[in-house]
Amino acid sequence: MSNAALDALCRRIEDWERRVRDRPVSPRMSDETLRARLDRYDFVRPRALEEMVVDIADLLEQANMHTTHPRYFGLFNPGVKRAGVVADTLAAAYNPQVGARWHAPATGDIEQRTLDHLRKRIGYPAGETSASFTTGGSEANLVGVLAGLSRACPRHADEGLAGIRPVFYASDQAHDSFVKIAHITGLGRRAFRRVRSDARRRLDVEDLRRAIARDRAAGLAPFLVVATVGTTASGAIDPAAELADVCRAEGLWLHADAAWGGLALLSDALRPHVAGVELADSITWDAHKSLPVPMGAGMFFSRWPRHAEAAFAVTTAYIPDHDEVANYQRTIQWSRRSIGMKVFFTLAELGQAGVAAMIDHQAAMGRLLREELAAAGWRVTNDSPLPLVCFARDGVRADAVARAVCDEGVAWISDVRLADGNHWLRACITHHETSPEDVRLMVAAANRAARAARGA
């Protein structure tokens, strides 16, 4: 890469960090203009790299929603700190292959040291537990389901599902990745049982017990329960300790989907709200939802690594034989880039107190948002301790307000449609630099949109 291109890249990154707050959160460039700009790249005539840096950076600024904006109150897509950008650049430049430790010992040990630190935050014991980085929460959830299936049906890996009728359970608020997982694994979508949620939108434990009993009586084979630690729609936290009791009594695998809610594990103040997650047999946790690092950085933790190995272990003729269990032997991935380098850099730069302060700040901005909305006449409709706020106002359509706020460009929020028929607005603090002023600007934008919607 030329020095001119590197200099241009560094200038654009530094300039964007300074200017992002003053830009619209969701800028508008027409599809026609975007396509016309890209039509200049015909892959026939070569282009100067420095020129491309400037041109494509302009497109990224003018034709993308800006998840790195402090007033992006969105879908668990974080702002980023420079440590993660530097780490991803190093990973790209050195391009280590992290499918097996012997191929990249330094990178492999950096990732494992990072995962071991986070394992301690979960409360998992040292020793037999294992952890690996994944592309994201969906992949980690898939590994959890397959590990649970390997435990319940040891012959599944070789013989498939013939003669087996496994089913698994999650609340009606759980992430829809489990619908895809039921399909991908060959279990079938009907094998994924949605359990009713309670008034706080947490999995109803008694309804789960009834569902398990019904399925057993029908000749089915329950094998796994999902505890959602921070639902996407409303931030609800399933009662993990109670679910662990049910799973022990029934002989089921408990998988905790803490993809976003895992951020509470980094704060001593929030940690009690997710008590019991350490009892799960496996856990999904997304670093890119908890920390200011570039996407994606999912993680999978398990108390029983042999079950994930049973699902993924293979013997190959072309990979050197080493006395270790490599990443490719316990995940769906083969070759992969360093996912964990940016997590390592971020944790090391901030230190434990700095990470906790950042998470606690986001939680404080969530509490402020609740207060400001209530003071402005909105009805706050969820009670999560996590920095996600749902709200509504009688006589105002949530989707119309969300669309108007986003079109104005001052902030970005969304509307959410729940299984019980409620339709709310949703705002999540995803940026480590969201300020009280940012919160108030968003509430003011929502107020303007609500007035306009009522007057329409």
Side-chain angles (χ1 to χ4, degrees):
M1 186 182 293
S2 69
N3 287 338
L6 281 172
D7 290 345
L9 178 62
C10 290
R11 284 195 303 271
R12 291 305 294 243
I13 291 171
E14 291 175 348
D15 184 54
W16 181 242
E17 289 176 346
R18 287 192 298 268
R19 292 191 302 109
V20 62
R21 186 181 287 277
D22 299 322
R23 300 283 295 176
V25 182
S26 45
R28 291 287 184 266
M29 174 185 282
S30 71
D31 289 344
E32 292 76 14
T33 301
L34 174 59
R35 289 168 187 146
R37 290 276 295 270
L38 288 174
D39 280 345
R40 294 183 291 178
Y41 295 90
D42 58 9
F43 306 112
V44 175
R45 181 175 64 88
R47 305 294 296 260
L49 195 53
E50 179 185 4
E51 170 195 318
M52 289 173 61
V53 167
V54 173
D55 186 42
I56 298 302
D58 281 343
L59 289 182
L60 295 178
E61 291 188 18
Q62 297 169 31
N64 277 345
M65 186 185 303
H66 297 315
T67 60
T68 60
H69 198 295
R71 290 194 297 279
Y72 172 79
F73 295 90
L75 303 173
F76 305 152
N77 303 309
V80 296
K81 289 182 72 70
R82 192 171 294 183
V85 177
V86 169
D88 255 3
T89 304
L90 279 174
Y94 286 90
N95 200 28
Q97 149 63 299
V98 200
R101 181 190 176 277
W102 61 264
H103 204 285
T107 310
D109 285 3
I110 283 169
E111 291 202 344
Q112 284 305 312
R113 177 170 289 269
T114 306
L115 290 166
D116 194 52
H117 170 74
L118 296 172
R119 172 192 60 76
K120 294 173 185 176
R121 294 301 302 180
I122 290 170
Y124 266 11
E128 284 300 307
T129 58
S130 70
S132 57
F133 280 101
T134 68
T135 53
S138 292
E139 181 192 332
N141 284 337
L142 171 62
V143 177
V145 171
L146 285 170
L149 192 58
S150 293
R151 175 183 175 271
C153 310
R155 295 179 297 174
H156 162 252
D158 292 325
E159 299 177 12
L161 292 171
I164 309 170
R165 299 174 67 193
V167 291
F168 69 104
Y169 309 85
S171 86
D172 56 16
Q173 307 293 313
H175 196 268
D176 290 326
S177 61
F178 291 102
V179 178
K180 291 186 177 183
I181 288 166
H183 189 160
I184 291 166
T185 56
L187 292 168
R189 297 190 180 203
R190 291 182 182 175
F192 175 37
R193 301 293 209 246
R194 291 282 196 180
V195 178
R196 187 174 61 202
S197 54
D198 63 17
R200 298 178 63 191
R201 289 165 182 83
R202 306 177 309 163
L203 187 148
D204 185 316
V205 178
E206 292 308 313
D207 193 53
L208 172 65
R209 287 193 174 100
R210 289 190 291 270
I212 293 170
R214 280 195 305 271
D215 285 339
R216 288 199 192 282
L220 303 178
F223 74 96
L224 178 141
V225 174
V226 177
T228 305
V229 183
T231 61
T232 305
S234 65
I237 299 170
D238 287 343
E242 292 181 59
L243 294 176
D245 289 341
V246 172
C247 288
R248 277 195 297 268
E250 297 284 351
L252 307 183
W253 184 279
L254 178 62
H255 176 71
D257 180 6
W260 174 61
L263 62 86
L265 296 164
L266 299 171
S267 160
D268 290 342
L270 291 176
R271 180 65 177 80
H273 294 290
V274 296
V277 69
E278 71 281 359
L279 302 173
D281 297 293
S282 58
I283 299 171
T284 288
W285 183 3
D286 280 357
H288 68 259
K289 292 182 172 74
S290 305
L291 295 167
V293 299
M295 297 180 283
M299 300 177 289
F300 176 75
F301 298 84
S302 179
R303 285 179 171 273
W304 320 107
R306 67 183 183 275
H307 295 302
E309 291 161 19
F312 295 106
V314 292
T315 301
T316 63
Y318 48 86
I319 297 177
D321 188 18
H322 287 263
D323 187 21
E324 65 179 36
V325 178
N327 284 328
Y328 77 90
Q329 296 277 17
R330 59 189 180 197
T331 73
I332 198 171
Q333 301 174 44
W334 287 79
S335 302
R336 76 160 172 85
R337 75 191 304 273
S338 174
I339 296 171
M341 186 78 73
K342 55 200 166 193
V343 186
F344 173 89
F345 264 64
T346 302
L347 292 172
E349 182 194 34
L350 292 174
Q352 189 163 307
V355 170
M358 181 183 64
I359 299 298
D360 289 343
H361 169 75
Q362 290 177 243
M365 292 302 97
R367 291 191 295 273
L368 176 64
L369 177 55
R370 290 173 180 275
E371 294 167 4
E372 293 290 326
L373 287 166
W378 292 92
R379 184 163 41 87
V380 176
T381 52
N382 72 326
D383 65 351
S384 176
L386 305 176
L388 189 160
V389 183
C390 295
F391 56 105
R393 178 172 280 170
D394 293 339
V396 174
R397 285 179 51 123
D399 54 346
V401 171
R403 189 163 50 249
V405 170
C406 298
D407 287 346
E408 185 179 348
V410 172
W412 195 91
I413 61 175
S414 60
D415 61 300
V416 59
R417 296 161 300 284
L418 288 93
D420 60 9
N422 279 299
H423 192 179
W424 298 336
L425 288 157
R426 176 191 178 280
C428 185
I429 311 296
T430 63
H431 201 291
H432 55 286
E433 291 182 353
T434 297
S435 68
E437 179 64 14
D438 292 318
V439 168
R440 294 181 181 113
L441 285 170
M442 189 279 282
V443 174
N447 291 339
R448 288 192 294 274
R451 287 194 295 270
R454 280 185 165 170

